Amino acid sequence: MITFKDVSKIYGNETTVLEGINFTLEKGSFSFLIGPTGSGKTTIFRLLIRDLLPTTGEITLGELDLIKLPKKNIPHLRRKIGVVFQDLKLLMDRTVTENVTLPLELAGVKAEEALQKAESILAEVGLGDKKDRFPLQLSGGERQRVAIARALIFDPEVILADEPTGNLDNQTSFQIVSLLENINKKGTTVFMATHNDKIVEKENSRRILIMEKGKIINEKNPKKENAKEEKIVEEKK
C-alpha cells in the first residue's frame, strides 16, 4: 500500500511544486496519474523513490516510512520500486541484455545468475529475440520494453511508469499498457503517469488521479462508484 498524507513540496521560499497531496493506492492496484506537463506527476514519483524529500507531509510504502528511512536503506527501497523513466535512461553503447543486467551487476549478483534473470524477463516482455541488439537498433516501443524489463529485474512490489507512451503511436502505446496490465495481473502494483487521453478513456475501469498545478483536483474511482451504486440498490430492496 502506498500512502501520501498532506504532502507538499516547495523549492526555496517561493516555488510550490506539490500542495496538500493525499491518496492511498492499494497493493496490487493499477492506477493512472494524469495531468499536463509541470503539474507535479514526476515529483510524486521522485518522492516515492526517495530521490526527493517532501517539505511537509507523510509518505509510506507498506510499513516503510519514507521520510524517516535511513539513507543506507534507500537502495533496498529502490529494489521494491521499479521505475520506467520518462527518458528511459538506456545506455546506447550496451546491448539490451547488458542494460537489463546492469542493476544486478551493481548489486553484486553473479554474472551467470544476472544473465539468466535478464533473459527470462526479456522473454516475458517479448524481446527474447532482440537481447543482443543495441538500443539504437530497436523501435521506440521496443526500447520502452527494455526499460520495463530493467524495472522488473528485482521483482519489485511496485512499478512506477512515468509517461511510458509519451513518444509512441497509439497502437504501440496500447501494447505497452497491455504489457503493464499483464505485469499487474501477477500482483505488482502499477502506477502510471500519462497525459494520453485516449489511453485513459480506453482504460476507464482504472482509478485515475487528476493533477493540475501541483494539486490533485479530482479522482475517478470506478470500484468505489460501483460499490456505492450496489449499496444504494441493496438499501432500496
Side-chain angles (χ1 to χ4, degrees), residues 163-214:
E163 299 283 1
T165 64
N167 297 315
L168 306 177
D169 59 61
N170 285 331
Q171 181 178 355
T172 307
S173 294
F174 288 126
Q175 291 171 353
I176 293 299
V177 174
S178 179
L179 174 58
L180 291 171
E181 287 178 333
N182 289 336
I183 293 167
N184 172 247
K185 288 175 182 177
K186 296 179 180 180
T188 305
T189 303
V190 175
F191 196 21
M192 175 177 162
T194 184
H195 60 260
N196 189 323
D197 293 337
K198 291 185 178 180
I199 287 176
V200 176
E201 288 170 5
K202 184 176 181 181
E203 302 293 325
N204 57 14
S205 64
R206 303 290 183 187
R207 184 179 176 192
I208 303 169
L209 301 176
I210 304 170
M211 293 197 71
E212 186 176 299
K213 296 180 179 179

Side-chain angles (χ1 to χ4, degrees), residues 32-36 208-212 215-220:
F32 288 108
L33 183 64
I34 70 171
I208 303 169
L209 301 176
I210 304 170
M211 293 197 71
E212 186 176 299
K215 299 180 181 180
I216 293 178
I217 61 168
N218 201 357
E219 175 184 347
K220 297 179 181 179

Side-chain angles (χ1 to χ4, degrees), residues 5-104:
K5 184 177 179 181
D6 297 326
V7 172
S8 295
K9 179 63 180 176
I10 301 171
Y11 288 107
N13 296 320
E14 299 179 355
T15 307
T16 300
V17 182
L18 296 177
E19 182 178 351
I21 300 297
N22 289 282
F23 66 84
T24 297
L25 302 182
E26 298 296 330
K27 185 177 180 180
S29 62
F30 188 134
S31 305
F32 288 108
L33 183 64
I34 70 171
T37 300
S39 59
K41 304 188 299 297
T42 298
T43 301
I44 285 178
F45 284 4
R46 292 181 66 190
L47 289 168
L48 274 169
I49 61 172
R50 262 295 294 272
D51 189 37
L52 292 174
L53 281 169
T55 305
T56 60
E58 301 174 13
I59 305 172
T60 57
L61 171 64
E63 296 180 356
L64 290 178
D65 183 331
L66 301 194
I67 313 302
K68 298 178 181 178
L69 188 71
K71 286 186 177 181
K72 66 179 182 179
N73 293 343
I74 292 177
H76 177 67
L77 167 70
R78 292 176 182 172
R79 293 183 189 183
K80 290 177 173 287
I81 303 177
V83 184
V84 183
F85 295 98
Q86 191 169 353
D87 59 358
L88 301 186
K89 299 189 184 300
L90 298 179
L91 300 176
M92 297 301 168
D93 60 343
R94 297 200 180 203
T95 66
V96 167
T97 300
E98 289 169 341
N99 268 280
V100 176
T101 58
L102 182 59
L104 293 177

Side-chain angles (χ1 to χ4, degrees), residues 120-180:
S120 174
I121 290 176
L122 286 169
E124 182 180 342
V125 302
L127 289 177
D129 60 339
K130 306 287 177 66
K131 63 182 182 180
D132 296 322
R133 296 191 181 184
F134 291 87
L136 289 176
Q137 296 175 302
L138 304 177
S139 68
E142 289 169 339
R143 286 196 290 270
Q144 193 63 258
R145 288 173 183 266
V146 177
I148 292 171
R150 186 184 55 197
L152 290 170
I153 199 67
F154 287 115
D155 298 316
E157 297 175 12
V158 179
I159 288 288
L160 303 178
D162 192 2
E163 299 283 1
T165 64
N167 297 315
L168 306 177
D169 59 61
N170 285 331
Q171 181 178 355
T172 307
S173 294
F174 288 126
Q175 291 171 353
I176 293 299
V177 174
S178 179
L179 174 58
L180 291 171

